[in-house]
Amino acid sequence: MNDTFLKACRGEKTDFTPIWIMRQAGRYLPEYQKVRGKVDFLTLCKTPELAAEVTIQPIDILKVDAAILFSDILIPVEAMGMPLEFHEKKGPVLAPAIRDENTVKKLSVPDPEDKMRFVMDTIRILRKELADRVPLIGFSGAPFTTATYMIEGGTSKTFLNTKRMIFQSPELYSALMDKITSTITEYLKAQINAGAQAVQLFDTWGGIFSPQDFKAYALSYVKKIIHDIRKWQKAEKSEPVPIIYFVGETAGLLEEIKESGADVHGVDWRINLDDAIRRLGNNAVVQGNLDPIALFLPQNKIEERVKDILSRAASAKGHIFNLGHGVVPETQPDNVIALVEMVHRHSKR
Ligand code: CP3
């Protein structure tokens, strides 16, 4: 098996730098559009055979070194009891938004094998179909990023309702976060049980906080999840599964992120990778950090940036190449294919 990705996560020496791409299964691929043309997004997430099919597409097309489960961070929110819809223009809509004690009380902590069985079934199919070609990454939203969608009722620019709840009703926020944190912990354990070989927590909106607030209102819950998963794995005597923690707008928060307990830290493009490594400590294993829009450059310019990132990563204990955030739908697939080839070629040791 190509286990280069897992080795890099553990900080072991590898023959080349592994690469996968956030949102690698998605609308920029005509092959994805073809499947998606037949069903809506949520149906795609909930049909294990189809979700497995689009998960594998980028492995065949791009030759990336890891597969990431096709699903969405809002699936567990629906399982907690909030009706979820995806609108073509508006994106996700969750209604009614969580704003008071009553709505928090109504939320449940679901049994993942019951309410999200389709996710575990997708993982089980994928492990069979991948047949150890590349490792499979499971994922969840981190509690804070998940909470923003629940409190705002969808995507937001200012996160005013979320911050207002945190500052004006801290007990309500804490009660909500306890439920979300338990849900995500159980959800990730179930994914690992079903066969996920690494898991990533997405904290896309962590960067809206001051470092102090990030620590209190986002990071503390992530630390709890990671601690509980490790404790559970120790008790089960199972091999530890690498945990990746990705925070958007990473640069102002590295000293806090460093304390997460994750094996790998995602870094976005707003900071040089060597700078981020210095601040995370030289034992850090990092993932990143090409600007997704740099894929719109001519290929020779993409190549310069690949070489630059690879050389800046030299001081880390491990490096997994990725974008600093998800690939956007307008991206040319040929440039993504070229990126993967360049990373492999220039990092060969
Ligand atoms: O990375 C992968 O290839 C795996 C699949 C995956 C999706 N979403 C599929 C998806 C993953 C890991 C996610 C994570 C996710 N979802 C995040 C965190 C990472 C990030 O990008 O910041 C967030 C914030 C969401 C919530 C979400 N899902 C929004 C806001 C939207 C609408 C905006 C958009 O990008 O379309 C989605 C929809 C979504 N999730 C699509 C895909 C492929 C597009 C749906 C479609 O086919 O129409």
Side-chain angles (χ1 to χ4, degrees):
M1 128 145 110
N2 174 4
D3 63 349
T4 309
F5 163 78
L6 290 176
K7 280 187 174 151
C9 287
R10 296 192 292 254
E12 294 168 14
K13 290 233 164 353
T14 58
D15 299 333
F16 58 90
T17 300
I19 173 171
W20 69 277
I21 288 161
M22 288 192 274
R23 297 281 191 106
Q24 65 190 17
R27 287 161 295 181
Y28 73 105
L29 286 177
E31 293 82 353
Y32 171 84
Q33 295 282 15
K34 202 171 158 204
V35 178
R36 179 65 176 75
K38 288 183 266 179
V39 289
D40 63 48
F41 174 63
L42 273 178
T43 305
L44 180 49
C45 291
K46 292 177 184 178
T47 312
E49 291 74 22
L50 292 180
E53 182 184 340
V54 297
T55 301
I56 293 178
Q57 285 176 347
I59 314 308
D60 294 332
I61 300 164
L62 309 177
K63 315 272 185 260
V64 283
D65 301 295
I68 180 157
L69 164 74
F70 188 83
S71 184
D72 198 82
I73 65 163
L74 300 177
I75 292 291
V77 174
E78 190 184 44
M80 290 176 81
M82 269 190 104
L84 168 65
E85 284 174 18
F86 276 88
H87 293 241
E88 220 46 66
K89 288 220 171 69
K90 269 203 289 182
V93 177
L94 290 151
I98 306 290
R99 301 280 164 83
D100 55 24
E101 217 184 301
N102 212 15
T103 40
V104 173
K105 268 204 185 121
K106 280 195 195 137
L107 295 168
S108 67
V109 175
D111 171 358
E113 276 287 357
D114 172 23
K115 291 280 185 317
M116 294 179 276
R117 178 161 209 112
F118 53 88
V119 172
M120 312 319 147
D121 285 343
T122 305
I123 293 174
R124 287 184 277 260
I125 292 175
L126 277 167
R127 283 302 304 276
K128 258 193 225 134
E129 289 189 355
L130 284 168
D132 282 344
R133 216 158 28 119
V134 291
L136 176 65
I137 307 170
F139 73 89
S140 170
F144 165 68
T145 290
T146 304
T148 66
Y149 287 94
M150 298 171 77
I151 301 167
E152 303 294 337
T155 302
S156 173
K157 286 208 168 76
T158 61
F159 301 95
L160 179 61
N161 294 299
T162 308
K163 280 190 165 175
R164 184 153 54 195
M165 185 191 288
I166 290 171
F167 293 144
Q168 294 188 342
S169 317
E171 278 147 27
L172 183 61
Y173 180 73
S174 149
L176 172 62
M177 289 298 271
D178 286 346
K179 278 195 172 169
I180 298 174
T181 303
S182 302
T183 297
I184 291 173
T185 306
E186 292 314 309
Y187 182 45
L188 289 177
K189 283 187 195 168
Q191 290 188 28
I192 293 167
N193 267 339
Q197 291 156 289
V199 291
Q200 173 156 319
L201 281 160
F202 284 91
D203 230 344
T204 306
W205 305 122
I208 68 158
F209 279 128
S210 70
Q212 296 84 337
D213 287 337
F214 173 75
K215 198 170 161 179
Y217 302 116
L219 184 69
S220 57
Y221 300 97
V222 169
K223 282 171 84 166
K224 183 168 188 319
I225 292 174
I226 295 175
H227 177 264
D228 286 354
I229 291 178
R230 298 253 190 270
K231 207 169 96 184
W232 167 73
Q233 291 207 295
K234 243 194 203 140
E236 302 254 305
K237 296 194 171 52
S238 51
E239 208 191 313
V241 161
I243 301 173
I244 309 166
Y245 182 39
F246 167 78
V247 182
E249 309 228 8
T250 334
L253 303 170
L254 284 162
E255 282 70 21
E256 285 70 32
I257 289 171
K258 184 180 167 178
E259 307 299 327
S260 74
D263 301 274
V264 182
H265 288 106
V267 179
D268 77 5
W269 66 92
R270 296 170 183 89
I271 181 168
N272 285 325
L273 200 52
D274 47 343
D275 240 2
I277 294 161
R278 189 176 42 75
R279 287 172 54 200
L280 287 167
N282 285 340
N283 268 336
V285 178
V286 290
Q287 177 174 282
N289 73 338
L290 183 69
D291 180 349
I293 311 304
L295 289 171
F296 291 70
L297 285 165
Q299 288 190 4
N300 62 329
K301 299 276 188 213
I302 297 175
E303 190 154 13
E304 282 171 21
R305 294 189 184 217
V306 165
K307 287 199 268 188
D308 180 60
I309 289 171
L310 288 172
S311 74
R312 289 181 192 276
S315 54
K317 197 169 166 212
H319 178 217
I320 296 135
F321 205 106
N322 206 318
L323 304 179
H325 198 180
V327 59
V328 304
E330 295 82 0
T331 309
Q332 284 296 326
D334 279 350
N335 281 5
V336 192
I337 294 169
L339 170 72
V340 174
E341 187 278 326
M342 286 168 195
V343 169
H344 285 157
R345 179 158 43 87
H346 287 295
S347 66
K348 241 205 168 78
R349 288 177 266 274

